[in-house]
Amino acid sequence: MNFIDEKFFKIIKEFEVLPREEIEKKMILFYKSLPANIKKSLESFFKDFNFWGTLSEENEDFDIFKKKAKIFKEKREDFVWLYNLLKDYKSKVVLLSVLNNYYNFDLYGLNLVADKTYKHYFDLDLLPSCKNEVFVDVGAYTGDTVLDFITSYGKSYNKIYCYEITENMMDYMKNNFANLSNIEIRNLAVAEKAGKLYLNVNSASSSANRAQEEGELAVDAVSLDDDIKEKITMIKMDIEGGEISAIKGVRQHIKDDLPKLFISVYHSNDDIITIPKLIQSYTDKYDFYLRYYGGNLYATEIVLICLPKSAG
């Protein structure tokens, strides 16, 4: 066992030994010891992006730590499962750093593992080249990921599909793709099945707009299994908590085509566990990796990369 393993299993042991209430209490004490400016930034962030829980020291509201402690205690063996599943030690260090950030408020570790070498999603050490891809970008926003894909791998793709729920992003994409061909833009939500969802507009950033079950501004939803009939070779998903539903709606493509997967796994307290478990329930033919592209304050922009075993 090396020192990375030792650090990881030391945290897991604490989750095993300590009662859930003690884990929560420890997190609250860690948080209260942080500098005031960091606490202010965190509380503002959680107010704008409410995926994980609420936080206000002034109001003695530590809901986020209660929810995190519950996950740590009840799903500690799932974290071990994921750690053992990960294919390389860089991925294991990412998982360790994420846990240290959530539990101990370690900012240094996140800074060390943040990937500043390659474009977001596209780690050239894992996937040095691509050609003839049918690439599906779910949560395409302005088309920035597609442009990063082309910067990383060139224009040797066959087709790119872009799905985005925010209508005013369509013009941004059309402008960004003006000199590119074989890109289809679809103003649709992606989910487990076809139907109607509703746009939840995030006042802090339109990149965090999301589709939900109720609301006023309707958007059509499709499943990728129904909407794309050709073979898919690559999928990226970043849809603000809708990833699990969307993955369920592309189950057949995953089983039949084994597309390379680049999935955001940070929009809930347990996506980082639940999403790889869901994918592995469809097939055992992937190698699993984690990469980190976020900042050092709170662990977001965690990407699960699943590559067919013959490609990794």
Side-chain angles (χ1 to χ4, degrees), residues 5-22:
D5 296 333
E6 289 176 354
K7 288 183 177 180
F8 174 79
F9 286 103
K10 182 180 178 181
I11 293 178
I12 296 300
K13 189 65 176 178
E14 282 198 34
F15 295 163
E16 178 185 352
V17 172
L18 295 178
R20 182 194 59 76
E21 295 80 6
E22 190 63 29

Side-chain angles (χ1 to χ4, degrees), residues 164-300:
E164 173 56 45
I165 59 173
T166 306
E167 188 173 6
N168 63 11
M169 292 297 112
M170 300 300 109
D171 289 337
Y172 284 99
M173 279 193 272
K174 289 174 183 176
N175 182 64
N176 282 333
F177 302 155
N179 298 318
L180 299 169
S181 59
N182 296 326
I183 299 180
E184 188 167 331
I185 301 170
R186 297 182 174 180
N187 183 202
L188 296 167
V190 175
E192 182 176 0
K193 57 185 178 181
K196 292 286 186 183
L197 292 173
Y198 298 88
L199 185 64
N200 180 312
V201 177
N202 187 292
S203 59
S205 173
S206 58
S207 67
N209 290 352
R210 55 181 165 171
Q212 60 185 25
E213 295 291 333
E214 298 178 348
E216 297 181 359
L217 186 57
V219 58
D220 290 327
V222 296
S223 77
L224 292 182
D225 278 340
D226 291 338
D227 209 45
I228 300 178
K229 296 306 180 183
E230 66 181 305
K231 179 178 179 178
I232 298 173
T233 67
M234 179 181 286
I235 301 171
K236 164 256 173 174
M237 285 187 186
D238 184 359
I239 48 175
E240 310 305 306
E243 290 83 5
I244 288 175
S245 178
I247 292 167
K248 290 179 178 178
V250 73
R251 174 174 58 184
Q252 204 60 49
H253 275 298
I254 290 175
K255 293 170 72 173
D256 294 344
D257 303 342
L258 289 180
K260 308 168 192 73
L261 302 176
F262 303 83
I263 313 293
S264 294
V265 290
Y266 61 90
H267 291 117
S268 80
N269 288 311
D270 62 353
D271 271 359
I272 198 169
I273 295 167
T274 305
I275 289 176
K277 276 189 170 291
L278 180 61
I279 293 167
Q280 200 185 51
S281 74
Y282 298 155
T283 177
D284 61 358
K285 296 179 181 179
Y286 279 118
D287 287 328
F288 289 75
Y289 304 86
L290 285 179
R291 291 296 184 262
Y292 184 67
Y293 300 94
N296 67 346
L297 192 62
Y298 183 78
T300 61

